[in-house]
Amino acid sequence: MPVLEIRTYRLKPGTRDEFVRVMREESAPLLAAAGIRVLDAGPSLVDEDGFEEAYLVRVFDSLEHRAAQEDAFYGSAVWREGPREAIVSRIETYHTIVVEVPAAVIAHWRPATP
């Protein structure tokens, strides 16, 4: 069964717009080229406790597939020499949850347009 990963980011003040731009325009295409399916990424509609926040939603074939793909991508030069610094420099903290979901749910997911 596929696994859905939802990652939320608490961002440094004043960085959300650029974080989301880099995530959508630079990081997401690199993830896709590495075989990691990004379902959506964007700004949170609310600022919890006054903090700017954003999210990233990805899907993987399995937990093992997720681990292998993340290790390969985040260890790659394309990430380290690409948007890595523009992404991580804006993150205060992040939280990730991973859940199993039926493939039919993933097939019907319609990402928001940037």
Side-chain angles (χ1 to χ4, degrees):
M1 183 175 296
V3 294
L4 184 74
E5 176 193 80
I6 303 168
R7 185 170 289 182
T8 60
Y9 302 94
R10 180 162 283 178
L11 304 171
K12 293 178 181 174
T15 65
R16 179 173 40 206
D17 290 345
E18 184 62 8
F19 177 89
V20 170
R21 186 200 67 75
V22 172
M23 179 68 73
R24 287 179 171 170
E25 296 176 12
E26 297 179 35
S27 184
L30 292 177
L31 288 163
I36 298 174
R37 186 169 170 204
V38 175
L39 297 182
D40 204 3
S44 174
L45 297 177
V46 296
D47 294 340
E48 186 174 317
D49 299 328
F51 289 95
E52 294 183 8
E53 297 187 322
Y55 65 90
L56 172 65
V57 181
R58 306 186 293 188
V59 67
F60 299 90
D61 293 338
S62 66
L63 283 175
E64 295 78 17
H65 191 238
R66 176 181 175 265
Q69 282 191 298
E70 284 195 328
D71 287 348
F73 180 76
Y74 291 116
S76 72
V78 71
W79 168 248
R80 288 190 322 271
E81 297 168 12
R84 181 190 181 283
E85 184 59 28
I87 294 286
V88 299
S89 67
R90 292 174 168 87
I91 299 171
E92 192 72 48
T93 61
Y94 71 93
H95 181 75
T96 303
I97 63 167
V98 179
V99 296
E100 287 185 328
V101 293
V105 170
I106 300 303
H108 287 72
W109 186 284
R110 298 289 181 249
T113 55

